[in-house]
Amino acid sequence: MAIASRFLAVALIVFLVLIVGGVALQIFLSRRKSKWLGLILPLLTFLYALALTLNVTSTDGAFPWGALLATFLLGNIPTLVLLAIYWAVREKFRVRDQIDKMNIDDL
């Protein structure tokens, strides 16, 4: 019993480190000058969700439309979170660019 609880604790810590590391990497990539770097992780998670969806199989002979839709939607939750981070970080760039344009117009 103690071994199972230790394994669960270690797995939870590793999972949290991966999540925090992924978010930190997304923020880092989104702050780069090139806007395409920030779209790498959302693209990878979208491709992963697409691969998950393509792996849904039929078990009773009928085509599993509900399972396909649920898998695709649930698989894209990380994609949406990473895109939200990307848009939030890039919004600061857009505001800064607008302020710079206003300052240039004032001159």
Side-chain angles (χ1 to χ4, degrees), residues 79-93:
T79 304
L80 295 175
V81 169
L82 292 172
L83 282 174
I85 292 170
Y86 173 76
W87 286 322
V89 171
R90 296 303 287 185
E91 180 64 28
K92 293 179 184 178
F93 280 106

Side-chain angles (χ1 to χ4, degrees), residues 87-104:
W87 286 322
V89 171
R90 296 303 287 185
E91 180 64 28
K92 293 179 184 178
F93 280 106
R94 285 189 284 274
V95 169
R96 190 178 313 144
D97 288 342
Q98 289 176 353
I99 290 172
D100 288 344
K101 287 179 185 178
M102 286 179 12
N103 289 336
I104 290 172

Side-chain angles (χ1 to χ4, degrees), residues 20-87:
V20 170
V23 168
L25 180 62
Q26 178 63 24
I27 292 171
F28 174 77
L29 291 174
S30 296
R31 286 185 177 168
R32 300 297 104 203
K33 191 82 166 165
S34 173
K35 65 180 178 181
W36 299 107
L37 286 176
L39 294 173
I40 292 173
L41 291 180
L43 176 67
L44 290 175
T45 56
F46 176 76
L47 291 175
Y48 179 72
L50 193 59
L52 283 176
T53 304
L54 293 175
N55 284 321
V56 172
T57 59
S58 174
T59 55
D60 60 358
F63 197 74
W65 289 107
L68 280 174
L69 183 63
T71 303
F72 187 71
L73 291 177
L74 292 175
N76 274 313
I77 290 173
T79 304
L80 295 175
V81 169
L82 292 172
L83 282 174
I85 292 170
Y86 173 76
W87 286 322

